[in-house]
């Protein structure tokens, strides 16, 4: 099985007596309330999703990511800073602090062992991460609202709650066990933030001819306005998997995190996370993790060819072209496989389907 990024899967989840002791200790520590999105970052760090990270990054790692696409602390490729921001340095006192998810104010989330508090140029970081300083970009706008200081330090997770979809939320160590028990030596990840349409189904079944297993992993968390609700995405995929797939070759589990819409750089992060879950391949398609017109259609695909990502190990399966249903071909096709146009083709882009539903019109069954 493919090794985790950096060679070892991070596990900073407290259990048993250690968890009880940390819970008691939490009541004596300074308190820091963080957003639900940051709380999920805490859980993902401790569960190994962001291996080799063991906490929020410090100034050396931040500089290395922004200048070299690498972690200084582990010397592996990395593209998006995983940071804990605060409005001012005096929000932190002492070497330890207890973090609380603002949506669960009575439940201690984790103990953070503070290693560094430092100022950062958040807009300079935004321009590197998102490739633009345009405030209309949701990622840039989000960075502009972050605090002026960052806190770095390792984490010990107290609250390991699986959230609203516990049966569909397996951690990297657990999905690796699933893949191993099924005898899958090659596993392709399918990253999604939408319900499946005919193009997704055709693509997924095509790559199943190349690998042992397909790992469908929807992003569950904050997305952009107009996207489908999490519960709808999961129900749609359960219907598809239960009725239209060979179950021995497909598995689904969620990734509780936010979409950052960083285009090519997020494509690399999506690959690293799926590598930690045990995947050997990941599908990278047109404008992966993009938003608006900020990135080229194949920019994310081309990102994997850059020399600084030669150690990523997980292999991209690149899907090129614009897809549609062709009534003359009688199948899903693309501009790379089909010569037809105009009334012969039916678009099934997510935008078209969302607009149709919002207007109260059922999408074409094809």
């Amino acid at each position: 099985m493919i090794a985790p990024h950096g060679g070892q899967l991070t596990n900073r989840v407290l259990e048993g007596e250690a968890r009880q002791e940390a819970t008691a200790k939490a009541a004596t520590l300074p308190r820091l309330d963080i957003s639900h999105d940051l709380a999920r970052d805490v859980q993902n760090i401790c569960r190994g999703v962001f291996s080799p990270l063991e906490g929020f990054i410090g100034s050396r790692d931040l500089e290395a990511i922004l200048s070299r696409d690498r972690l200084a602390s582990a010397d592996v490729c990395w593209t998006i800073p995983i940071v804990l921001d605060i409005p001012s340095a005096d929000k932190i006192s002492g070497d330890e602090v207890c973090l609380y998810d603002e949506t669960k104010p009575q439940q201690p989330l984790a103990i953070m062992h503070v290693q560094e508090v430092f100022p950062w140029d958040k807009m300079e970081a935004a321009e590197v991460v998102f490739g633009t300083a345009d405030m209309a970009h949701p990622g840039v706008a989000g960075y502009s609202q972050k605090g002026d200081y960052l806190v770095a330090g390792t984490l010990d997770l107290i609250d390991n709650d699986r959230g609203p979809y516990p049966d569909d939320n397996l951690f990297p160590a657990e999905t690796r066990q699933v893949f191993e028990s099924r005898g899958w030596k090659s596993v392709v990840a399918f990253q999604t933030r939408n319900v499946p349409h005919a193009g997704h189904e055709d693509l997924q079944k095509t790559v199943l001819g190349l690998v042992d297993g397909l790992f469908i992993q929807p992003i569950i968390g904050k997305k952009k306005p107009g996207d489908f609700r999490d519960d709808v995405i999961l129900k749609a995929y359960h219907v598809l998997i239960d009725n239209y797939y060979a179950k021995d070759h497909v598995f689904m589990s969620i990734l509780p995190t936010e979409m950052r819409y960083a285009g090519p750089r997020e494509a690399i992060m999506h690959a690293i996370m799926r590598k930690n879950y045990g995947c050997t391949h990941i599908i990278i398609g047109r404008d992966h993790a993009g938003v608006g017109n900020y990135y080229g259609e194949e920019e994310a695909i081309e990102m994997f060819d850059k020399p600084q990502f030669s150690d990523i190990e997980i292999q991209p399966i690149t899907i090129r072209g614009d897809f549609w249903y062709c009534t003359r071909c009688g199948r899903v096709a693309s501009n790379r496989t089909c010569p037809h146009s105009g009334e012969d083709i039916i678009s099934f882009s997510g935008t078209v389907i969302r607009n149709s539903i919002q207007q109260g019109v059922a999408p074409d069954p094809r």
Side-chain angles (χ1 to χ4, degrees):
M1 179 172 286
I2 191 171
H5 202 50
Q8 186 170 349
L9 203 62
T10 297
N11 179 8
R12 299 194 67 89
V13 179
L14 299 177
E15 297 178 340
E17 187 175 336
R19 182 177 182 273
Q20 293 175 1
E21 292 175 356
T23 301
K25 182 180 182 180
T28 69
L29 295 176
R31 174 187 183 121
L32 181 63
D33 292 287
I34 61 175
S35 70
H36 187 53
D37 288 320
L38 275 173
R40 279 189 301 221
D41 281 348
V42 169
Q43 291 178 322
N44 284 334
I45 290 169
C46 295
R47 293 166 177 168
V49 177
F50 290 130
S51 296
L53 297 189
E54 296 196 349
F56 288 105
I57 66 166
S59 56
R60 287 182 63 248
D61 275 331
L62 178 63
E63 190 279 330
I65 293 167
L66 298 181
S67 63
R68 300 187 289 115
D69 294 319
R70 301 193 72 77
L71 289 173
S73 57
D75 194 30
V76 292
C77 61
W78 201 270
T79 53
I80 295 181
I82 307 301
V83 297
L84 172 56
D85 63 291
I86 55 174
S88 61
D90 58 14
K91 290 287 288 184
I92 299 294
S93 60
D95 297 331
E96 291 182 320
V97 62
C98 184
L99 305 179
Y100 286 79
D101 180 342
E102 64 182 5
T103 67
K104 301 169 72 174
Q106 305 306 316
Q107 170 64 50
L109 171 67
I111 291 176
M112 184 175 188
H113 308 281
V114 178
Q115 297 168 334
E116 188 180 8
V117 180
F118 60 100
W120 68 314
D121 189 332
K122 56 190 177 185
M123 299 316 296
E124 178 184 60
E127 189 164 4
V128 173
V129 171
F130 302 106
T132 178
D134 187 354
M135 291 294 291
H137 187 295
V140 176
Y143 265 47
S144 73
Q145 297 169 12
K146 290 183 180 294
D148 293 330
Y149 288 80
L150 298 180
V151 187
T154 57
L155 297 161
D156 289 321
L157 185 66
I158 297 172
D159 183 6
N160 196 30
D161 178 43
R162 292 179 189 258
Y165 309 106
D167 294 339
D168 289 315
N169 186 9
L170 273 67
F171 308 151
E174 295 168 333
T175 57
R176 285 172 167 269
Q177 289 176 351
V178 170
F179 303 158
E180 188 170 4
S181 69
R182 294 189 176 195
W184 292 356
K185 292 182 171 55
S186 56
V187 185
V188 62
F190 182 77
Q191 143 79 31
T192 184
R193 61 179 175 85
N194 277 312
V195 296
H197 56 53
H200 296 142
E201 181 181 357
D202 183 81
L203 186 157
Q204 292 164 5
K205 289 181 174 178
T206 297
V207 298
L208 269 173
L210 306 174
V211 297
D212 297 328
L214 168 68
F215 181 46
I216 298 172
Q217 193 171 43
I219 292 279
I220 297 299
K222 185 172 69 178
K223 294 181 278 288
K224 66 182 191 307
D227 279 356
F228 287 97
R229 294 201 321 254
D230 292 337
D231 60 317
V232 175
I233 295 170
L234 290 180
K235 185 172 181 179
Y237 264 110
H238 277 300
V239 169
L240 190 63
I241 293 169
D242 290 345
N243 296 281
Y244 301 99
Y245 281 78
K247 292 187 181 64
D248 291 344
H249 295 281
V250 181
F251 187 76
M252 182 180 73
S253 181
I254 64 174
L255 175 53
T257 192
E258 62 179 315
M259 281 294 298
R260 291 169 166 87
Y261 299 104
R265 297 177 72 87
E266 190 164 5
I268 296 292
M269 281 304 304
H270 283 167
I272 290 170
M273 288 188 282
R274 276 35 183 256
K275 174 185 175 182
N276 287 329
Y277 276 97
C279 297
T280 57
H281 298 75
I282 182 171
I283 296 170
I284 302 293
R286 180 179 62 85
D287 197 22
H288 187 105
V291 63
N293 297 312
Y294 290 99
Y295 311 109
E297 288 196 352
E298 296 191 358
E299 198 173 339
I301 293 173
E302 295 164 355
M303 193 77 162
F304 286 81
D305 293 329
K306 294 188 175 183
Q308 64 263 44
F309 304 119
S310 60
D311 62 340
I312 196 168
E313 292 183 301
I314 183 172
Q315 296 298 306
I317 294 180
T318 57
I319 307 298
R320 302 172 186 267
D322 294 321
F323 285 78
W324 52 65
Y325 184 89
C326 178
T327 58
R328 289 185 65 184
C329 293
R331 57 162 296 162
V332 171
S334 78
N335 61 332
R336 298 173 69 94
T337 65
C338 167
H340 305 123
S341 60
E343 294 182 356
D344 292 329
I345 67 173
I346 299 170
S347 172
F348 46 59
S349 76
T351 300
V352 169
I353 293 173
R354 280 193 298 270
N355 289 342
S356 178
I357 290 173
Q358 287 169 339
Q359 293 165 12
V361 179
D364 188 300
R366 292 168 289 186

